[in-house]
Amino acid sequence: MTYKYIDYRCPEHQADRLRECQEKVEHDYNYGDYVKVSIDCRDPDKDKMSHIESMWVQVLTVNKEERTITGKLANNPVRVGAKHKYGDKITVKFSEICDFLPQYYVR
């Protein structure tokens, strides 16, 4: 199944394709921008299985040499008792970012 702008990828190859695209993309983030990342919110002391949630992170600093952003979580995880909560400081790699929202779109 192929449409003009859509190319089907089996689930096994979707993650590889995302990483490939993320390496090529220009990551130009500024203080106050928001990025969406998938975060493992499990409590390692209580949970054996991972619990991945897509969460917004407000950018505080960008390290282009290490290809990371440090920011604070902009929403609470759905999972009760998760190891992260709103306002926690977190550092993520550029390759983990799946969405971007410039600060001027947020009110």
Side-chain angles (χ1 to χ4, degrees):
M1 164 178 29
T2 301
Y3 295 95
K4 187 174 183 179
Y5 298 107
I6 299 173
D7 185 26
Y8 175 77
R9 300 278 175 182
C10 71
E12 292 178 22
H13 294 98
Q14 286 177 350
D16 293 336
R17 179 72 173 141
L18 177 60
R19 277 191 293 277
E20 179 184 313
C21 290
Q22 289 293 57
E23 288 302 317
K24 294 177 184 174
V25 102
E26 193 64 37
H27 294 275
D28 191 19
Y29 308 116
N30 297 302
Y31 177 85
D33 289 344
Y34 288 83
V35 294
K36 187 175 271 190
V37 295
S38 294
I39 299 172
D40 186 355
C41 290
R42 73 183 162 136
D43 180 342
D45 295 331
K46 298 177 184 175
D47 302 318
K48 292 181 182 179
M49 299 286 293
S50 63
H51 180 79
I52 307 298
E53 291 191 34
S54 292
M55 300 178 69
W56 288 104
V57 176
Q58 186 178 26
V59 177
L60 298 175
T61 61
V62 179
N63 186 325
K64 289 197 175 195
E65 292 171 1
E66 292 183 12
R67 300 182 58 77
T68 61
I69 66 111
T70 299
K72 61 181 181 177
L73 289 180
N75 59 280
N76 272 315
V78 173
R79 179 153 186 157
V80 175
K83 69 178 176 181
H84 298 294
K85 64 184 179 313
Y86 176 85
D88 282 355
K89 194 172 181 180
I90 190 165
T91 299
V92 295
K93 298 176 185 175
F94 285 176
S95 61
E96 297 173 310
I97 297 170
C98 63
D99 203 355
F100 165 65
L101 188 61
Q103 62 182 335
Y104 50 82
Y105 283 120
V106 182
R107 291 183 182 195

PDB file of all heavy atoms in Angstrom, residues 39-43 53 55-58 71-90:
ATOM      1  N   ILE A  39       8.739   8.049  27.051  1.00  0.00           N
ATOM      2  CA  ILE A  39       9.455   7.903  28.314  1.00  0.00           C
ATOM      3  C   ILE A  39       8.964   6.656  29.033  1.00  0.00           C
ATOM      4  O   ILE A  39       7.761   6.404  29.115  1.00  0.00           O
ATOM      5  CB  ILE A  39       9.226   9.147  29.205  1.00  0.00           C
ATOM      6  CG1 ILE A  39       9.746  10.385  28.499  1.00  0.00           C
ATOM      7  CG2 ILE A  39       9.877   8.972  30.569  1.00  0.00           C
ATOM      8  CD1 ILE A  39       9.398  11.676  29.195  1.00  0.00           C
ATOM      9  N   ASP A  40       9.903   5.888  29.585  1.00  0.00           N
ATOM     10  CA  ASP A  40       9.540   4.734  30.397  1.00  0.00           C
ATOM     11  C   ASP A  40       9.177   5.252  31.788  1.00  0.00           C
ATOM     12  O   ASP A  40      10.033   5.737  32.520  1.00  0.00           O
ATOM     13  CB  ASP A  40      10.714   3.753  30.478  1.00  0.00           C
ATOM     14  CG  ASP A  40      10.347   2.470  31.200  1.00  0.00           C
ATOM     15  OD1 ASP A  40       9.211   2.374  31.721  1.00  0.00           O
ATOM     16  OD2 ASP A  40      11.191   1.565  31.245  1.00  0.00           O
ATOM     17  N   CYS A  41       7.907   5.185  32.126  1.00  0.00           N
ATOM     18  CA  CYS A  41       7.403   5.758  33.379  1.00  0.00           C
ATOM     19  C   CYS A  41       7.260   4.735  34.499  1.00  0.00           C
ATOM     20  O   CYS A  41       6.684   5.031  35.529  1.00  0.00           O
ATOM     21  CB  CYS A  41       6.052   6.421  33.129  1.00  0.00           C
ATOM     22  SG  CYS A  41       6.173   7.912  32.159  1.00  0.00           S
ATOM     23  N   ARG A  42       7.773   3.540  34.302  1.00  0.00           N
ATOM     24  CA  ARG A  42       7.607   2.526  35.347  1.00  0.00           C
ATOM     25  C   ARG A  42       8.453   2.857  36.573  1.00  0.00           C
ATOM     26  O   ARG A  42       9.461   3.555  36.483  1.00  0.00           O
ATOM     27  CB  ARG A  42       7.990   1.153  34.822  1.00  0.00           C
ATOM     28  CG  ARG A  42       9.483   0.993  34.646  1.00  0.00           C
ATOM     29  CD  ARG A  42       9.824  -0.349  34.054  1.00  0.00           C
ATOM     30  NE  ARG A  42      11.170  -0.276  33.521  1.00  0.00           N
ATOM     31  CZ  ARG A  42      12.075  -1.214  33.697  1.00  0.00           C
ATOM     32  NH1 ARG A  42      11.770  -2.295  34.352  1.00  0.00           N
ATOM     33  NH2 ARG A  42      13.273  -1.073  33.191  1.00  0.00           N
ATOM     34  N   ASP A  43       8.057   2.341  37.672  1.00  0.00           N
ATOM     35  CA  ASP A  43       8.844   2.407  38.893  1.00  0.00           C
ATOM     36  C   ASP A  43       9.662   1.120  38.925  1.00  0.00           C
ATOM     37  O   ASP A  43       9.099   0.035  39.115  1.00  0.00           O
ATOM     38  CB  ASP A  43       7.921   2.503  40.108  1.00  0.00           C
ATOM     39  CG  ASP A  43       8.688   2.583  41.409  1.00  0.00           C
ATOM     40  OD1 ASP A  43       9.888   2.227  41.433  1.00  0.00           O
ATOM     41  OD2 ASP A  43       8.084   2.991  42.411  1.00  0.00           O
ATOM     42  N   GLU A  53       5.171   6.022  27.849  1.00  0.00           N
ATOM     43  CA  GLU A  53       4.169   7.063  27.593  1.00  0.00           C
ATOM     44  C   GLU A  53       4.810   8.168  26.776  1.00  0.00           C
ATOM     45  O   GLU A  53       5.970   8.520  26.977  1.00  0.00           O
ATOM     46  CB  GLU A  53       3.646   7.658  28.894  1.00  0.00           C
ATOM     47  CG  GLU A  53       2.795   6.704  29.689  1.00  0.00           C
ATOM     48  CD  GLU A  53       2.081   7.385  30.837  1.00  0.00           C
ATOM     49  OE1 GLU A  53       1.697   8.564  30.693  1.00  0.00           O
ATOM     50  OE2 GLU A  53       1.908   6.721  31.875  1.00  0.00           O
ATOM     51  N   MET A  55       5.182  11.895  26.216  1.00  0.00           N
ATOM     52  CA  MET A  55       4.984  13.048  27.089  1.00  0.00           C
ATOM     53  C   MET A  55       5.675  14.280  26.516  1.00  0.00           C
ATOM     54  O   MET A  55       6.691  14.178  25.831  1.00  0.00           O
ATOM     55  CB  MET A  55       5.531  12.743  28.488  1.00  0.00           C
ATOM     56  CG  MET A  55       4.841  11.558  29.128  1.00  0.00           C
ATOM     57  SD  MET A  55       5.513  11.159  30.745  1.00  0.00           S
ATOM     58  CE  MET A  55       4.987  12.553  31.685  1.00  0.00           C
ATOM     59  N   TRP A  56       5.110  15.450  26.812  1.00  0.00           N
ATOM     60  CA  TRP A  56       5.692  16.708  26.374  1.00  0.00           C
ATOM     61  C   TRP A  56       6.766  17.148  27.357  1.00  0.00           C
ATOM     62  O   TRP A  56       6.606  17.020  28.561  1.00  0.00           O
ATOM     63  CB  TRP A  56       4.629  17.792  26.267  1.00  0.00           C
ATOM     64  CG  TRP A  56       3.721  17.598  25.102  1.00  0.00           C
ATOM     65  CD1 TRP A  56       2.436  17.134  25.143  1.00  0.00           C
ATOM     66  CD2 TRP A  56       4.013  17.851  23.726  1.00  0.00           C
ATOM     67  NE1 TRP A  56       1.925  17.086  23.870  1.00  0.00           N
ATOM     68  CE2 TRP A  56       2.866  17.520  22.982  1.00  0.00           C
ATOM     69  CE3 TRP A  56       5.131  18.322  23.051  1.00  0.00           C
ATOM     70  CZ2 TRP A  56       2.808  17.648  21.596  1.00  0.00           C
ATOM     71  CZ3 TRP A  56       5.076  18.448  21.670  1.00  0.00           C
ATOM     72  CH2 TRP A  56       3.927  18.122  20.953  1.00  0.00           C
ATOM     73  N   VAL A  57       7.855  17.662  26.808  1.00  0.00           N
ATOM     74  CA  VAL A  57       8.959  18.193  27.603  1.00  0.00           C
ATOM     75  C   VAL A  57       9.211  19.624  27.140  1.00  0.00           C
ATOM     76  O   VAL A  57       9.396  19.877  25.953  1.00  0.00           O
ATOM     77  CB  VAL A  57      10.238  17.338  27.415  1.00  0.00           C
ATOM     78  CG1 VAL A  57      11.403  17.957  28.166  1.00  0.00           C
ATOM     79  CG2 VAL A  57      10.004  15.905  27.868  1.00  0.00           C
ATOM     80  N   GLN A  58       9.198  20.576  28.083  1.00  0.00           N
ATOM     81  CA  GLN A  58       9.503  21.963  27.747  1.00  0.00           C
ATOM     82  C   GLN A  58      11.015  22.142  27.781  1.00  0.00           C
ATOM     83  O   GLN A  58      11.662  21.848  28.787  1.00  0.00           O
ATOM     84  CB  GLN A  58       8.833  22.925  28.717  1.00  0.00           C
ATOM     85  CG  GLN A  58       9.025  24.370  28.302  1.00  0.00           C
ATOM     86  CD  GLN A  58       8.329  25.341  29.241  1.00  0.00           C
ATOM     87  OE1 GLN A  58       8.107  25.034  30.413  1.00  0.00           O
ATOM     88  NE2 GLN A  58       7.990  26.505  28.734  1.00  0.00           N
ATOM     89  N   GLY A  71      15.017  19.396  29.753  1.00  0.00           N
ATOM     90  CA  GLY A  71      13.802  20.171  29.951  1.00  0.00           C
ATOM     91  C   GLY A  71      13.013  19.635  31.121  1.00  0.00           C
ATOM     92  O   GLY A  71      13.465  18.770  31.864  1.00  0.00           O
ATOM     93  N   LYS A  72      11.808  20.187  31.282  1.00  0.00           N
ATOM     94  CA  LYS A  72      10.951  19.711  32.371  1.00  0.00           C
ATOM     95  C   LYS A  72       9.677  19.127  31.771  1.00  0.00           C
ATOM     96  O   LYS A  72       9.169  19.616  30.755  1.00  0.00           O
ATOM     97  CB  LYS A  72      10.633  20.825  33.355  1.00  0.00           C
ATOM     98  CG  LYS A  72       9.888  21.996  32.788  1.00  0.00           C
ATOM     99  CD  LYS A  72       9.653  23.041  33.856  1.00  0.00           C
ATOM    100  CE  LYS A  72       8.867  24.198  33.257  1.00  0.00           C
ATOM    101  NZ  LYS A  72       8.546  25.202  34.240  1.00  0.00           N
ATOM    102  N   LEU A  73       9.195  18.066  32.408  1.00  0.00           N
ATOM    103  CA  LEU A  73       7.975  17.421  31.932  1.00  0.00           C
ATOM    104  C   LEU A  73       6.811  18.397  32.025  1.00  0.00           C
ATOM    105  O   LEU A  73       6.614  19.044  33.050  1.00  0.00           O
ATOM    106  CB  LEU A  73       7.673  16.167  32.754  1.00  0.00           C
ATOM    107  CG  LEU A  73       8.611  14.988  32.525  1.00  0.00           C
ATOM    108  CD1 LEU A  73       8.213  13.813  33.405  1.00  0.00           C
ATOM    109  CD2 LEU A  73       8.628  14.574  31.076  1.00  0.00           C
ATOM    110  N   ALA A  74       6.058  18.471  30.954  1.00  0.00           N
ATOM    111  CA  ALA A  74       4.969  19.441  30.875  1.00  0.00           C
ATOM    112  C   ALA A  74       3.605  18.807  31.107  1.00  0.00           C
ATOM    113  O   ALA A  74       2.582  19.464  30.942  1.00  0.00           O
ATOM    114  CB  ALA A  74       5.003  20.144  29.525  1.00  0.00           C
ATOM    115  N   ASN A  75       3.573  17.534  31.427  1.00  0.00           N
ATOM    116  CA  ASN A  75       2.322  16.882  31.801  1.00  0.00           C
ATOM    117  C   ASN A  75       2.628  15.708  32.738  1.00  0.00           C
ATOM    118  O   ASN A  75       3.744  15.226  32.796  1.00  0.00           O
ATOM    119  CB  ASN A  75       1.523  16.414  30.584  1.00  0.00           C
ATOM    120  CG  ASN A  75       2.272  15.438  29.715  1.00  0.00           C
ATOM    121  OD1 ASN A  75       3.104  15.841  28.911  1.00  0.00           O
ATOM    122  ND2 ASN A  75       1.999  14.155  29.862  1.00  0.00           N
ATOM    123  N   ASN A  76       1.608  15.286  33.477  1.00  0.00           N
ATOM    124  CA  ASN A  76       1.752  14.122  34.354  1.00  0.00           C
ATOM    125  C   ASN A  76       1.552  12.851  33.547  1.00  0.00           C
ATOM    126  O   ASN A  76       0.737  12.835  32.621  1.00  0.00           O
ATOM    127  CB  ASN A  76       0.711  14.157  35.473  1.00  0.00           C
ATOM    128  CG  ASN A  76       1.188  14.927  36.673  1.00  0.00           C
ATOM    129  OD1 ASN A  76       2.319  14.766  37.112  1.00  0.00           O
ATOM    130  ND2 ASN A  76       0.327  15.784  37.201  1.00  0.00           N
ATOM    131  N   PRO A  77       2.239  11.788  33.893  1.00  0.00           N
ATOM    132  CA  PRO A  77       1.965  10.515  33.231  1.00  0.00           C
ATOM    133  C   PRO A  77       0.582  10.002  33.625  1.00  0.00           C
ATOM    134  O   PRO A  77       0.061  10.373  34.686  1.00  0.00           O
ATOM    135  CB  PRO A  77       3.062   9.590  33.746  1.00  0.00           C
ATOM    136  CG  PRO A  77       3.588  10.228  34.967  1.00  0.00           C
ATOM    137  CD  PRO A  77       3.314  11.695  34.863  1.00  0.00           C
ATOM    138  N   VAL A  78       0.006   9.186  32.778  1.00  0.00           N
ATOM    139  CA  VAL A  78      -1.305   8.597  33.068  1.00  0.00           C
ATOM    140  C   VAL A  78      -1.183   7.570  34.180  1.00  0.00           C
ATOM    141  O   VAL A  78      -2.042   7.466  35.041  1.00  0.00           O
ATOM    142  CB  VAL A  78      -1.890   7.943  31.787  1.00  0.00           C
ATOM    143  CG1 VAL A  78      -3.158   7.174  32.095  1.00  0.00           C
ATOM    144  CG2 VAL A  78      -2.128   8.997  30.729  1.00  0.00           C
ATOM    145  N   ARG A  79      -0.089   6.853  34.183  1.00  0.00           N
ATOM    146  CA  ARG A  79       0.109   5.780  35.150  1.00  0.00           C
ATOM    147  C   ARG A  79       0.272   6.326  36.561  1.00  0.00           C
ATOM    148  O   ARG A  79       1.129   7.175  36.824  1.00  0.00           O
ATOM    149  CB  ARG A  79       1.327   4.976  34.765  1.00  0.00           C
ATOM    150  CG  ARG A  79       1.602   3.862  35.737  1.00  0.00           C
ATOM    151  CD  ARG A  79       2.312   2.772  35.073  1.00  0.00           C
ATOM    152  NE  ARG A  79       2.438   1.657  35.966  1.00  0.00           N
ATOM    153  CZ  ARG A  79       2.620   0.455  35.564  1.00  0.00           C
ATOM    154  NH1 ARG A  79       2.683   0.215  34.291  1.00  0.00           N
ATOM    155  NH2 ARG A  79       2.748  -0.517  36.415  1.00  0.00           N
ATOM    156  N   VAL A  80      -0.530   5.819  37.470  1.00  0.00           N
ATOM    157  CA  VAL A  80      -0.426   6.200  38.880  1.00  0.00           C
ATOM    158  C   VAL A  80       0.832   5.553  39.454  1.00  0.00           C
ATOM    159  O   VAL A  80       1.130   4.401  39.176  1.00  0.00           O
ATOM    160  CB  VAL A  80      -1.679   5.731  39.651  1.00  0.00           C
ATOM    161  CG1 VAL A  80      -1.536   6.017  41.129  1.00  0.00           C
ATOM    162  CG2 VAL A  80      -2.917   6.405  39.088  1.00  0.00           C
ATOM    163  N   GLY A  81       1.597   6.293  40.218  1.00  0.00           N
ATOM    164  CA  GLY A  81       2.789   5.760  40.837  1.00  0.00           C
ATOM    165  C   GLY A  81       3.988   5.713  39.911  1.00  0.00           C
ATOM    166  O   GLY A  81       4.967   5.031  40.184  1.00  0.00           O
ATOM    167  N   ALA A  82       3.933   6.445  38.794  1.00  0.00           N
ATOM    168  CA  ALA A  82       5.054   6.469  37.855  1.00  0.00           C
ATOM    169  C   ALA A  82       6.255   7.162  38.500  1.00  0.00           C
ATOM    170  O   ALA A  82       6.106   7.957  39.421  1.00  0.00           O
ATOM    171  CB  ALA A  82       4.651   7.209  36.584  1.00  0.00           C
ATOM    172  N   LYS A  83       7.452   6.849  37.993  1.00  0.00           N
ATOM    173  CA  LYS A  83       8.654   7.434  38.592  1.00  0.00           C
ATOM    174  C   LYS A  83       8.836   8.897  38.210  1.00  0.00           C
ATOM    175  O   LYS A  83       9.621   9.600  38.818  1.00  0.00           O
ATOM    176  CB  LYS A  83       9.886   6.625  38.223  1.00  0.00           C
ATOM    177  CG  LYS A  83      10.292   6.693  36.768  1.00  0.00           C
ATOM    178  CD  LYS A  83      11.550   5.894  36.518  1.00  0.00           C
ATOM    179  CE  LYS A  83      11.904   5.894  35.055  1.00  0.00           C
ATOM    180  NZ  LYS A  83      13.092   5.112  34.777  1.00  0.00           N
ATOM    181  N   HIS A  84       8.116   9.392  37.187  1.00  0.00           N
ATOM    182  CA  HIS A  84       8.202  10.793  36.776  1.00  0.00           C
ATOM    183  C   HIS A  84       6.888  11.499  37.063  1.00  0.00           C
ATOM    184  O   HIS A  84       5.839  10.867  37.117  1.00  0.00           O
ATOM    185  CB  HIS A  84       8.505  10.901  35.280  1.00  0.00           C
ATOM    186  CG  HIS A  84       9.811  10.311  34.883  1.00  0.00           C
ATOM    187  ND1 HIS A  84      11.020  10.819  35.295  1.00  0.00           N
ATOM    188  CD2 HIS A  84      10.106   9.241  34.111  1.00  0.00           C
ATOM    189  CE1 HIS A  84      12.002  10.100  34.794  1.00  0.00           C
ATOM    190  NE2 HIS A  84      11.472   9.123  34.070  1.00  0.00           N
ATOM    191  N   LYS A  85       6.962  12.813  37.208  1.00  0.00           N
ATOM    192  CA  LYS A  85       5.755  13.615  37.393  1.00  0.00           C
ATOM    193  C   LYS A  85       5.959  14.990  36.750  1.00  0.00           C
ATOM    194  O   LYS A  85       7.077  15.357  36.397  1.00  0.00           O
ATOM    195  CB  LYS A  85       5.406  13.742  38.874  1.00  0.00           C
ATOM    196  CG  LYS A  85       6.424  14.485  39.701  1.00  0.00           C
ATOM    197  CD  LYS A  85       6.050  14.477  41.155  1.00  0.00           C
ATOM    198  CE  LYS A  85       7.033  15.182  42.038  1.00  0.00           C
ATOM    199  NZ  LYS A  85       8.427  14.908  41.866  1.00  0.00           N
ATOM    200  N   TYR A  86       4.893  15.737  36.649  1.00  0.00           N
ATOM    201  CA  TYR A  86       4.918  17.082  36.075  1.00  0.00           C
ATOM    202  C   TYR A  86       6.019  17.910  36.737  1.00  0.00           C
ATOM    203  O   TYR A  86       6.155  17.925  37.949  1.00  0.00           O
ATOM    204  CB  TYR A  86       3.556  17.750  36.288  1.00  0.00           C
ATOM    205  CG  TYR A  86       3.496  19.180  35.818  1.00  0.00           C
ATOM    206  CD1 TYR A  86       3.212  19.476  34.499  1.00  0.00           C
ATOM    207  CD2 TYR A  86       3.728  20.227  36.695  1.00  0.00           C
ATOM    208  CE1 TYR A  86       3.156  20.793  34.067  1.00  0.00           C
ATOM    209  CE2 TYR A  86       3.682  21.540  36.280  1.00  0.00           C
ATOM    210  CZ  TYR A  86       3.393  21.817  34.958  1.00  0.00           C
ATOM    211  OH  TYR A  86       3.347  23.109  34.536  1.00  0.00           O
ATOM    212  N   GLY A  87       6.819  18.585  35.897  1.00  0.00           N
ATOM    213  CA  GLY A  87       7.859  19.465  36.407  1.00  0.00           C
ATOM    214  C   GLY A  87       9.216  18.816  36.613  1.00  0.00           C
ATOM    215  O   GLY A  87      10.202  19.516  36.843  1.00  0.00           O
ATOM    216  N   ASP A  88       9.283  17.469  36.542  1.00  0.00           N
ATOM    217  CA  ASP A  88      10.579  16.788  36.698  1.00  0.00           C
ATOM    218  C   ASP A  88      11.524  17.191  35.586  1.00  0.00           C
ATOM    219  O   ASP A  88      11.129  17.347  34.434  1.00  0.00           O
ATOM    220  CB  ASP A  88      10.413  15.267  36.668  1.00  0.00           C
ATOM    221  CG  ASP A  88       9.896  14.689  37.967  1.00  0.00           C
ATOM    222  OD1 ASP A  88       9.749  15.460  38.937  1.00  0.00           O
ATOM    223  OD2 ASP A  88       9.636  13.475  37.994  1.00  0.00           O
ATOM    224  N   LYS A  89      12.786  17.352  35.938  1.00  0.00           N
ATOM    225  CA  LYS A  89      13.821  17.678  34.951  1.00  0.00           C
ATOM    226  C   LYS A  89      14.289  16.372  34.305  1.00  0.00           C
ATOM    227  O   LYS A  89      14.524  15.379  35.007  1.00  0.00           O
ATOM    228  CB  LYS A  89      14.980  18.388  35.632  1.00  0.00           C
ATOM    229  CG  LYS A  89      15.929  19.065  34.703  1.00  0.00           C
ATOM    230  CD  LYS A  89      16.922  19.897  35.498  1.00  0.00           C
ATOM    231  CE  LYS A  89      17.875  20.616  34.587  1.00  0.00           C
ATOM    232  NZ  LYS A  89      18.839  21.409  35.349  1.00  0.00           N
ATOM    233  N   ILE A  90      14.413  16.386  32.981  1.00  0.00           N
ATOM    234  CA  ILE A  90      14.773  15.175  32.254  1.00  0.00           C
ATOM    235  C   ILE A  90      15.649  15.540  31.063  1.00  0.00           C
ATOM    236  O   ILE A  90      15.492  16.625  30.491  1.00  0.00           O
ATOM    237  CB  ILE A  90      13.500  14.410  31.810  1.00  0.00           C
ATOM    238  CG1 ILE A  90      13.842  13.034  31.277  1.00  0.00           C
ATOM    239  CG2 ILE A  90      12.687  15.199  30.835  1.00  0.00           C
ATOM    240  CD1 ILE A  90      12.636  12.130  31.174  1.00  0.00           C
TER     241      ILE A  90
END
